[in-house]
Amino acid sequence: MRSRPARFAIRISAMAAKEVLHIVRDPRTLVLAFVMPVLMLLLFGYGVSFDLDHLPLAVADADRTPESRALVDAFTRGGEFDLRARVSPGEAEDLFRRGKAFAALVVRPGYGRDLARGGRAQAALLVDGSDAASASQLLQKADAIARAESLRRAAAAGAAGAPPIEVRNWTRYNPEGRSAVFMVPGLTVYLMALGAVLLTALTVAGEWERGSMEQLFASPVGRTDIILGKLLPYLGLGLVQLLLVVAVGATAFDVPVRGSLLLLFGVGLAFLAGMLGQGLFISVVTKNQLVATQAGTLSSLLPSLLLSGMLFPIENMPPVLQALSRIIPARYFVHALRGILLKGSGPAELWPDFVALLVFAVAILAVATARFQRRIA
Amino acid sequence: MSPAPAPKLLTAYAAVVRKEFRQTLRDRRIMFMLIAAPLIQTVLFGFAVDFDVDRVPTALADLDRSAASREQARRLLADGTLRHVLDVRSAAEADRALDEGRAAAAVVIPPGFSEDLAAGRTARVQALIDGTDPVRAGAAASAISRFFAAASGDVGRDRLAALGRAPPAVEVAPRVLHNPRLKTAVYVVPGILAMLLVVVTAIVTAMGLSREREMGTLEQVLVTPIRPFVLLAGKMTPFVLVGFFDVVLALAAMTWLFDVPLRGPLPALALGSVLYLCSTLGVGLLVSTFSSTQQQSFLGAFLFVIPAVLLSGIMTPIQAMPGWLRAVTWANPLRFFAEIARGVLLRGAGFGDLWVQLAVLLLYGSLILGLATARFRTQLG
């Protein structure tokens, strides 16, 4: 006769083996679960960034003096702007509507004369603001170019020696401003939420849908065994995804791993447990795969993407959403991952995140299990 | 015995549409996710997505403690990009604040700042910036540089004016069209429309068909004299209508909550929506022909949705992508629908400005639907 814990372990591993068999028998799920992270990482690492250069610029130079040409040259020389068209001031708006230019530099007659007199000379920049993010970057760039041109003119006129105030910016953690370094922690969180919540929700809801859940209840396997057996394979899958994303990020994109890997996995485990619990809860409530998908997307994927600080700083959100973000586990995991990978933070800085993740995991698993027990009693 | 005569195409089609509508309407939860979920997403996105960086939490280390340093610091922190969250007493302490995440930027004004300034030497200021988020770091760095450059310019001009000379200065005065206050929501929300339509239609179609396949109901319908493409057309129709209804709903939310203007002709947007829905429904159908379970359908549809969203210009500008990736975006229906939505709503573009995008969507819609129908037929035939 085996001891109780031994029997418990056998039952759970039987359930887990059944689930692993489900996954392995049709490897398409597995392939998708692993191809997706790598694909997303490659896209973000190689392509998707917020950094703009070669912005299409239209120029309307009505002044036609050496000074005005120098200003146009200052705009296009550095590669930030590409001269796309020379137009009359009235044509600029038409170009915007057709999406042919982002900005138009308009130099009125008299620009060169004003400069030669040693005064302030003004040029106008029309900006297509429909893409607000690009427009504000463009404004920053135009501003810097105008400042540099101003300084050059002043220096040429023999006006300025050393500047009176000088500021030295020192950017830490990601000095080159690479999007991949910023995105990898956020993506990891998103992918793990996707895998853990949705795959669990779908597999459990699938058992209800097909009626095989009743068969499981008729077997000597207990409810807790069913839950643990269902969740364990996906816990493993999630950890492998975490490892994969961090490894690809570190090798292909030089994302640093400054903190301890053990800590990384500890926090990852706490996050995964919560996400699996959420998936279980959704499936118990919906019992339908299609509905479970949407519920999972709305309750976990969307908040992980929008409210976790993965893409958009939390401080910028309205207070209601800031408050809401406090109950989103992804927020704590994103913060912890960035800390461990980029800043080399240790337990001293990260224990609040860990505690928050743990509290969420325990609470949601308890609620889901209770609900699961009641459904069938 | 001769087979039963095939019913007229239109009768068969109407019958399938009626059946699908009943089936969809009966399940309240599916109706909820088809109609309420997109609305919730629009609202959430509109409020959460904000690329304007402001309120960057900033630590200040004023080690000079003079009237001049206090004045400069006050004016720097008053411009809105930076938000003063704590005072620290040394550069090392500022460093720690960054490490712990209590501040994302720190400005250190070293001792001797006002003395240097008064003596006509270059007074130096140091800024520490958390580069984790490149967009935020760039905005903070730019705000700090811009402020001190302007302050420096003022001081320089005062000095020259004292000598009776005026230096030349170049000023570029920007005027922003279409979205003068540069609100992100106005730009992002029309793009979100493209995103949630693809999520709703592609995933629901793919999973719905896989479900029928799992349950074997697809085979039952196929033994009836209804032709496969009539069956598919009937199955798609309710989703086109629901998707169209979502567009109207989202438009109402956009104009009401986020002040998105409606500048162009709505028929252009309506035509764009229908053509776009053909592509996304086609993708769902295509994915379902490659999947045997709903789980796979979901993952497969997601595998399309994620790159499609990333490469659409909705979240990040296409202009910022390398050339080869920009070429890939030409194959993405989302990109063209986002361009149509933004063009019509924000820039007042009409058929004349957008015919290329509309033609491309028509092409993709027929290609994808054609391919998917062909695969569907061979699989079942």
Side-chain angles (χ1 to χ4, degrees):
Chain A
M1 198 69 203
R2 292 171 207 266
S3 66
R4 270 190 60 151
R7 272 176 292 154
F8 184 60
I10 288 174
R11 286 197 310 267
I12 290 181
S13 48
M15 269 307 297
K18 165 188 173 306
E19 193 61 30
V20 169
L21 221 62
H22 273 302
I23 301 174
V24 173
R25 203 182 43 195
D26 194 347
R28 277 179 286 189
T29 306
L30 213 54
V31 169
L32 287 172
F34 290 135
V35 165
M36 193 127 65
V38 176
L39 181 75
M40 278 177 81
L41 210 56
L42 291 180
L43 279 179
F44 266 111
Y46 284 121
V48 179
S49 84
F50 294 95
D51 246 358
L52 286 167
D53 40 22
H54 299 287
L55 291 159
L57 176 78
V59 169
D61 179 3
D63 191 40
R64 292 164 194 275
T65 55
E67 286 81 4
S68 70
R69 276 194 286 278
L71 182 69
V72 172
D73 187 50
F75 265 82
T76 51
R77 192 175 39 218
E80 279 120 335
F81 292 92
D82 276 355
L83 180 57
R84 277 300 156 79
R86 290 187 176 274
V87 292
S88 71
E91 285 165 344
E93 279 199 49
D94 193 46
L95 280 181
F96 289 169
R97 208 174 48 241
R98 283 185 285 134
K100 295 281 182 217
F102 249 133
L105 181 68
V106 181
V107 191
R108 303 242 167 240
Y111 171 86
R113 195 188 53 220
D114 287 346
L115 262 187
R117 267 197 216 143
R120 266 170 202 264
Q122 213 179 49
L125 187 70
L126 294 179
V127 179
D128 178 357
S130 58
D131 176 351
S134 304
S136 44
Q137 258 195 60
L138 190 152
L139 288 175
Q140 281 175 22
K141 291 192 168 156
D143 190 61
I145 290 171
R147 231 186 303 133
E149 179 69 5
S150 223
L151 267 179
R152 199 179 65 80
R153 289 264 162 214
I165 305 177
E166 198 179 71
V167 60
R168 191 169 299 158
N169 283 332
W170 186 39
T171 305
R172 305 193 46 204
Y173 312 127
N174 180 16
E176 309 97 88
R178 284 182 300 135
S179 295
V181 171
F182 173 60
M183 288 310 305
V184 164
L187 267 185
T188 313
V189 174
Y190 186 70
L191 291 166
M192 285 170 71
L194 176 76
V197 175
L198 284 155
L199 293 185
T200 331
L202 287 176
T203 172
V204 180
E207 300 264 7
W208 293 108
E209 233 172 50
R210 288 187 296 271
S212 46
M213 196 56 102
E214 275 78 9
Q215 290 170 16
L216 282 178
F217 292 148
S219 73
V221 182
R223 269 106 232 211
T224 321
D225 309 334
I226 297 179
I227 292 177
L228 285 177
K230 278 262 169 211
L231 297 191
L232 280 178
Y234 289 98
L235 193 68
L237 195 68
L239 285 179
V240 175
Q241 278 186 331
L242 176 62
L243 191 68
L244 189 70
V245 174
V246 172
V248 173
T251 50
F253 304 112
D254 296 323
V255 174
V257 185
R258 300 211 171 98
S260 113
L261 273 179
L262 199 65
L263 193 63
L264 183 76
F265 277 92
V267 181
L269 213 57
F271 176 69
L272 272 177
M275 291 293 101
L276 293 172
Q278 198 170 338
L280 182 68
F281 180 73
I282 289 169
S283 69
V284 175
V285 174
T286 62
K287 290 190 175 179
N288 172 308
Q289 295 194 60
L290 202 54
V291 181
T293 311
Q294 290 295 319
T297 312
L298 269 187
S299 70
S300 84
L301 286 192
L302 214 56
S304 302
L305 185 70
L306 295 178
L307 302 179
S308 65
M310 159 187 171
L311 285 172
F312 314 108
I314 294 172
E315 313 93 69
N316 272 18
M317 294 172 193
V320 182
L321 289 188
Q322 286 195 27
L324 195 62
S325 82
R326 291 195 178 278
I327 57 164
I328 308 289
R331 172 196 171 138
Y332 302 99
F333 193 38
V334 168
H335 183 250
L337 267 186
R338 289 219 173 107
I340 295 170
L341 294 177
L342 307 184
K343 299 185 182 177
S345 312
E349 286 99 16
L350 299 180
W351 68 266
D353 295 323
F354 188 67
V355 170
L357 288 174
L358 219 53
V359 168
F360 180 84
V362 170
I364 191 85
L365 276 172
V367 174
T369 315
R371 184 98 197 202
F372 188 71
Q373 309 272 28
R374 208 146 31 94
R375 278 268 142 165
I376 31 178
Chain B
M1 218 176 94
S2 66
K8 286 215 178 81
L9 283 185
L10 222 54
T11 328
Y13 170 73
V16 178
V17 171
R18 214 163 35 238
K19 171 205 162 253
E20 286 298 319
F21 252 119
R22 273 202 200 132
Q23 208 173 329
T24 319
L25 284 174
R26 207 177 38 206
D27 196 334
R28 289 268 168 77
R29 296 181 304 180
I30 293 184
M31 279 316 281
F32 170 82
M33 75 190 209
L34 285 179
I35 287 168
L39 200 60
I40 295 172
Q41 296 185 26
T42 312
V43 174
L44 198 60
F45 263 103
F47 281 117
V49 175
D50 192 352
F51 293 107
D52 305 342
V53 178
D54 48 14
R55 288 176 274 171
V56 177
T58 306
L60 175 67
D62 180 358
L63 310 177
D64 190 44
R65 294 160 185 274
S66 63
S69 70
R70 265 195 297 276
E71 175 61 14
Q72 297 292 2
R74 189 188 62 76
R75 281 170 44 204
L76 169 67
L77 295 170
D79 93 324
T81 306
L82 308 176
R83 187 167 57 99
H84 187 192
V85 287
L86 80 159
D87 281 298
V88 289
R89 263 178 245 104
S90 67
E93 211 179 311
D95 223 26
R96 257 201 314 283
L98 250 59
D99 271 343
E100 288 162 11
R102 285 185 292 144
V107 178
V108 183
I109 304 180
F113 175 83
S114 56
E115 252 170 60
D116 286 342
L117 209 56
R121 288 188 297 264
T122 297
R124 290 177 204 284
V125 177
Q126 200 189 26
L128 294 174
I129 290 153
D130 178 349
T132 322
D133 176 349
V135 177
R136 186 168 72 171
S142 155
I144 295 171
S145 311
R146 198 168 53 225
F147 171 79
F148 282 110
S152 185
D154 288 347
V155 174
R157 248 186 305 286
D158 289 350
R159 282 183 193 161
L160 280 173
L163 300 173
R165 286 163 54 192
V170 175
E171 219 171 87
V172 172
R175 185 160 74 86
V176 179
L177 307 171
H178 306 307
N179 178 13
R181 284 158 63 207
L182 289 180
K183 282 188 294 184
T184 309
V186 171
Y187 177 66
V188 169
V189 175
I192 299 309
L193 186 64
M195 200 166 121
L196 54 93
L197 279 183
V198 71
V199 171
V200 169
T201 53
I203 293 179
V204 171
T205 319
M207 288 185 71
L209 282 166
S210 289
R211 181 189 164 92
E212 296 221 25
R213 193 163 301 179
E214 269 179 10
M215 297 175 125
T217 47
L218 212 51
E219 277 75 10
Q220 286 172 19
V221 180
L222 283 171
V223 296
T224 65
I226 296 170
R227 301 234 205 108
F229 84 87
V230 175
L231 174 68
L232 284 181
K235 279 192 170 303
M236 299 288 165
T237 307
F239 290 113
V240 172
L241 292 178
V242 168
F244 203 71
F245 185 64
D246 284 338
V247 172
V248 175
L249 220 56
L251 275 184
M254 282 179 207
T255 46
W256 182 56
L257 283 175
F258 303 114
D259 298 325
V260 174
L262 298 175
R263 295 208 175 100
L266 287 181
L269 185 60
L271 179 63
S273 309
V274 172
L275 293 178
Y276 173 63
L277 283 170
C278 289
S279 302
T280 58
L281 289 168
V283 168
L285 183 58
L286 198 60
V287 167
S288 80
T289 65
F290 285 101
S291 325
S292 57
T293 63
Q294 292 185 59
Q295 213 184 28
Q296 283 170 7
S297 271
F298 168 74
L299 282 175
F302 233 78
L303 196 63
F304 167 79
V305 168
I306 286 176
V309 167
L310 288 181
L311 297 179
S312 64
I314 294 173
M315 309 286 260
T316 65
I318 290 177
Q319 204 71 39
M321 295 172 193
W324 62 272
L325 211 56
R326 236 175 323 184
V328 175
T329 65
W330 276 92
N332 185 359
L334 258 78
R335 171 193 166 161
F336 295 98
F337 182 64
E339 282 177 4
I340 292 173
R342 281 175 182 157
V344 170
L345 297 176
L346 305 182
R347 293 201 298 265
F351 286 102
D353 305 297
L354 296 170
W355 67 269
V356 177
Q357 281 87 343
L358 289 168
V360 171
L361 280 185
L362 179 65
L363 179 71
Y364 288 163
S366 14
L367 270 182
I368 299 172
L369 269 182
L371 183 64
T373 317
R375 267 193 64 90
F376 189 77
R377 246 203 234 143
T378 49
Q379 269 187 341
L380 296 165

